[in-house]
Amino acid sequence: RCAELAKYFRDKLVENNLPFEIVSESLSNAVTPLHPITQSAFKIFLKMKDEYGMWVCPNGGDMASTIFRVGHIGALTKDDNTKLVDVFKDLQKRGLI
C-alpha cells in the first residue's frame, strides 16, 4: 500500500511539472524527500501549515531550507496525495513556489 501511494504521489509531481527534485538515490516507500528548486523548503512548509492547514515533514539544521519530506505511511490515501499536489499547484499559481 505504501509503495502504491508513493508511486502515485511521485507520478503526480511529474505530471504537474511541479518545481521539486526528488533527492534520493534509493527511495523508500515510506517517504519522498523533496528539494524545492524555486523557494526555501521551510518557507513552503510554513505556508502550507499556516494557509492550508496541511503538514509535510520539515528538515532541521543545515537542511531546513533545502529539503522537506512527504510521508506515505499511516492512514493516508490517494485523495490525501491529490489534495497535497493541489496545494503545490496553488502555491505555484500564486508565484510562491
Side-chain angles (χ1 to χ4, degrees):
R1 190 179 78 75
C2 292
E4 184 180 333
L5 285 176
K7 181 177 178 350
Y8 180 82
F9 173 73
R10 294 166 188 158
D11 288 348
K12 287 285 187 189
L13 287 179
V14 172
E15 286 172 21
N16 288 283
N17 198 31
L18 291 165
F20 299 108
E21 295 175 336
I22 297 175
V23 291
S24 176
E25 294 177 15
S26 178
L27 285 172
S28 162
N29 291 325
V31 0
T32 300
L34 294 178
H35 167 65
I37 58 175
T38 60
Q39 179 61 268
S40 158
F42 195 72
K43 286 181 182 178
I44 293 170
F45 160 74
L46 291 175
K47 283 275 183 208
M48 291 175 64
K49 176 181 72 76
D50 296 341
E51 295 183 20
Y52 298 88
M54 188 169 285
W55 290 68
V56 292
C57 186
N59 267 4
D62 293 341
M63 297 182 79
S65 67
T66 59
I67 303 227
F68 63 81
R69 291 158 285 148
V70 174
H72 308 298
I73 58 176
L76 296 171
T77 65
K78 286 182 179 180
D79 188 48
D80 294 323
N81 284 334
T82 299
K83 289 176 186 174
L84 176 57
V85 168
D86 287 344
V87 166
F88 290 153
K89 288 170 27 180
D90 191 57
L91 286 169
Q92 187 177 40
K93 180 180 173 183
R94 293 172 57 202
L96 299 173
I97 62 170

